[in-house]
């Protein structure tokens, strides 16, 4: 997770330096949401972009749906009346998760294209960007 999520990376013990391709593969397979979020944070840090306030609200909504889904799944184990609600919340949580992850990947891709990084893997690494060129996102009025 490019050292942005310590729970994922603290067990690597430097293995990511010796075998980065293998660690990247494990990261994407085992914790894809952390991988996508960390990639987004790297781009935001690199280009000094501020997160939109609505990003945090949407991510919190997703986290709440995930929690409610798990809670309802547990209730459905003990009470069959919760099974339909559990299935509905599972579907809503999955749609929310996939949509938000797709938005994060798209944000990274578009920003890399805008900055000349290609966004398609054609150019490895991040380019240095002068401070004056950084374009923080404007706050959206509520």
């Amino acid at each position: 997770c490019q050292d942005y999520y310590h729970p994922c990376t603290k067990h690597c013990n430097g293995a990511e330096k010796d075998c980065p391709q293998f660690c990247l593969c494990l990261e994407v397979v085992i914790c894809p949401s952390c991988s996508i979020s960390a990639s987004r944070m790297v781009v935001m840090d690199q280009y000094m972009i501020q997160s939109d306030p609505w990003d945090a609200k949407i991510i919190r909504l997703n986290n709440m749906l995930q929690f409610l889904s798990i809670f309802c799944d547990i209730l459905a184990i003990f009470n069959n009346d919760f099974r339909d609600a559990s299935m509905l919340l599972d579907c809503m949580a999955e749609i929310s998760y996939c949509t938000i992850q797709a938005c994060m990947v798209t944000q990274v891709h578009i920003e890399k294209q805008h900055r000349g990084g290609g966004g398609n893997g054609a150019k490895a690494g991040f380019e240095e960007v002068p401070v004056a060129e950084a374009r923080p996102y404007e706050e959206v009025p509520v």
Side-chain angles (χ1 to χ4, degrees), residues 52-65:
D52 186 274
W54 280 98
D55 286 350
K57 292 174 185 175
I58 292 169
I59 291 168
R60 284 187 203 116
L61 174 67
N62 177 61
N63 292 344
M64 183 196 67
L65 281 173

Side-chain angles (χ1 to χ4, degrees), residues 1 6-18 23 26-27:
C1 295
H6 293 288
C8 290
T9 59
K10 71 179 180 182
H11 302 292
C12 289
N13 296 327
E16 67 276 358
K17 289 175 183 59
D18 298 333
C23 288
L26 282 179
E27 177 182 314

Side-chain angles (χ1 to χ4, degrees), residues 4-110:
Y4 274 80
Y5 284 103
H6 293 288
C8 290
T9 59
K10 71 179 180 182
H11 302 292
C12 289
N13 296 327
E16 67 276 358
K17 289 175 183 59
D18 298 333
C19 191
Q21 293 84 3
F22 178 71
C23 288
L24 177 63
C25 181
L26 282 179
E27 177 182 314
V28 170
V29 170
I30 293 173
C31 51
S33 63
C34 292
S35 176
I36 292 170
S37 294
S39 295
R40 179 176 172 261
M41 285 189 268
V42 166
V43 169
M44 289 173 67
D45 286 351
Q46 182 69 28
Y47 299 130
M48 295 178 289
I49 299 170
Q50 295 175 349
S51 182
D52 186 274
W54 280 98
D55 286 350
K57 292 174 185 175
I58 292 169
I59 291 168
R60 284 187 203 116
L61 174 67
N62 177 61
N63 292 344
M64 183 196 67
L65 281 173
Q66 300 297 329
F67 173 77
L68 287 176
S69 174
I70 291 168
F71 185 72
C72 206
D73 286 343
I74 293 169
L75 286 177
I77 292 170
F78 301 106
N79 186 341
N80 289 340
D81 296 336
F82 287 99
R83 291 211 175 160
D84 289 337
S86 171
M87 289 172 40
L88 177 64
L89 276 170
D90 284 346
C91 183
M92 290 171 57
E94 286 295 318
I95 290 170
S96 170
Y97 169 80
C98 291
T99 303
I100 291 170
Q101 295 303 304
C103 287
M104 286 185 185
V105 169
T106 302
Q107 283 178 335
V108 169
H109 179 76
I110 288 173

